[in-house]
Amino acid sequence: MSAIATGPVATEIAARLTAALSPTKLHVINDSAKHAGHMGDDGSGESHFTVVVESAAFTGQSRVTRQRLVNKALGDLMADKVHAMAIKAMAPDEQ
């Protein structure tokens, strides 16, 4: 498992996804710098993210169900700290 996480929000995203989904691969990428000054930029430098997560929990699940599992794992972070998140969720046998 690998995780690219810096800053308190990114670290919390990685921790919650790890606890809920036991990923075999996890990348948390902070995209906030690309959105500086745009709507949703709260000035924290941690408002926009991409997550790439591979987990056996996604086996046989639709794309929508996978995204719901990620959002459920993140809970209040999505409402309180994160303005936007791109999610790439895959099962271990997928590329």
Side-chain angles (χ1 to χ4, degrees), residues 8-79:
V9 176
T11 300
E12 183 66 18
I13 289 168
R16 289 186 186 196
L17 292 175
T18 298
L21 301 170
S22 301
T24 51
K25 178 165 92 173
L26 175 62
H27 298 286
V28 178
I29 302 152
N30 186 341
D31 296 323
S32 301
K34 297 177 191 174
H35 302 278
H38 298 170
M39 179 174 254
D41 173 27
D42 63 4
S44 71
E46 287 194 287
S47 57
H48 295 70
F49 293 90
T50 296
V51 294
V52 178
V53 58
E54 177 185 273
S55 172
F58 299 139
T59 302
Q61 302 294 330
S62 71
R63 182 181 58 83
V64 171
T65 299
R66 293 172 184 197
Q67 291 183 348
R68 286 180 180 154
L69 289 169
V70 169
N71 286 329
K72 181 179 178 183
L74 297 177
D76 62 328
L77 282 179
M78 294 303 293

